Amino acid sequence: MSRTATPEELEVTMLALLEERGPGKTIGPADVAQALGGNQPDGWGPLMQPVRKAAVRLMKEGRIVILRKGRPVDPEDFRGTYRLALPPAES
């Protein structure tokens, strides 16, 4: 059974998972979807697009970085597999 998640739930979960993982570490979008939708594909699968939208929103706000092949992407134009990370700490 799939569930819907609010944008706020997605953002809070995403940021919590990233904080838990720590600086310099990444998570996948499926990690966020599974945290909210469970381990069954019919539960987390429908959350993948909303997770992507939440990630784009948070990157535009400077709160996370979307990475593809280890490099930050343009949040308006990226395809394929991606990872999420906290932005590097400013020194």
Side-chain angles (χ1 to χ4, degrees), residues 18-41:
L18 285 166
E19 288 291 335
E20 186 179 296
R21 192 68 49 101
K25 305 285 185 193
T26 66
I27 63 171
D31 297 327
V32 180
Q34 288 173 356
L36 290 166
N39 292 328
Q40 297 300 317

Side-chain angles (χ1 to χ4, degrees), residues 55-73:
V56 167
R57 205 169 33 255
L58 288 173
M59 184 166 176
K60 288 179 180 179
E61 293 173 5
R63 297 170 68 192
I64 69 163
V65 179
I66 301 171
L67 303 168
R68 180 151 162 71
K69 297 183 180 179
R71 292 194 170 110
V73 299

